Amino acid sequence: MSFRALAPAKVNLYLHVVGKRPDGYHLLDSLFAFTEYGDVVEAFPSAELSLEIKGPYAAGLSCGEDNIVIKAALKLSEFCKVPAKARLVLEKNLPVASGIGGGSSDAAAALKVLQRLWNVDLSWDDLLSLALSLGADVPSCLRARPVHVSGIGEILEEISSVPRLFVLLVNPNKPVSTPQVFKERCGDFSRAMPLTAQELMPQNFIEALKARHNDLTDGAIRVEHAVKDVLEALEKYEDSVLSRMSGSGGTCFALFTDEGRLSAAKSDLEKSHPFWWVKETRFL
Ligand code: C5P
């Protein structure tokens, strides 16, 4: 018997940095959506704890205690006082250090499959604080549904749905360090602008997103110039209703209302930039 969970990619539809805590963490205001595409985490019974990583982005990732999936397993076993016994298999489909929550989503998926394998049932509050101790984005990744996020990532306000848009994810295949991008951020803080119920309606959604931005974009471009190339390439597609960077980058996204137009943009990008990661998906 084994348990399997999708670790979906996370997209920050907008991301405002609204303040900074004395410990250095930034206060955010962001709308997260998750995609049908992602990594996959599977847990099998075993006499000991191990992690195998396969898939296109497996190379270079450690399978040891510094891997967030192993950290999640150890924290859950300690909290629930159960032996940390499992063979975990991670299919790493998402680029590493890429602003779409790969590691955070893997950790959240590991918590889900291990709760089932070990037959433990945590309260939602305990699960959230365990998730937060693993990383600021892990609580929202546990939800894996559209969610408005504030605080450093721990204050979640569920949103019933976002329009089922077609999503093109593009990464220049250059890792971007999140702490470095936060350090590069400068200028005033933005104001929190959570979407109203009216703005969440499909006919208003895109205009509402256009009135917001990703405050980490300039910092990410200073850290990795290829992010600018991706944004400029996406801006060329006039059929796209919005293009923007996700999280701390370098993955950027373009949204389409028409699948055919997304496919055309995807083929075009694959020809013009064969070394970029280009993936079509939809919001969950
Ligand atoms: O929590 P996580 O390990 O994902 O964050 C990585 C780094 O990104 C933090 O150490 C911090 O430098 C930065 N960060 C931040 N404010 C946030 C989230 C992350 O400054 N809300």
Side-chain angles (χ1 to χ4, degrees), residues 237-249:
Y237 299 110
E238 288 174 3
D239 297 330
S240 156
V241 289
L242 181 82
S243 57
R244 180 165 285 169
M245 187 182 86
S246 176
S248 53

Side-chain angles (χ1 to χ4, degrees), residues 84-138:
K85 291 180 179 177
R87 182 167 79 83
L88 292 158
V89 180
L90 167 62
E91 185 184 308
K92 194 72 205 156
N93 298 317
L94 302 173
V96 176
S98 75
I100 47 176
S104 307
S105 205
D106 297 343
L111 291 176
K112 287 179 190 168
V113 290
L114 288 171
Q115 279 186 97
R116 288 157 69 199
L117 183 73
W118 295 340
N119 204 15
V120 291
D121 200 9
L122 278 76
S123 72
W124 178 243
D125 283 351
D126 285 341
L127 200 54
L128 273 191
S129 56
L130 201 77
L132 186 64
S133 73
L134 289 160
D137 282 349
V138 184

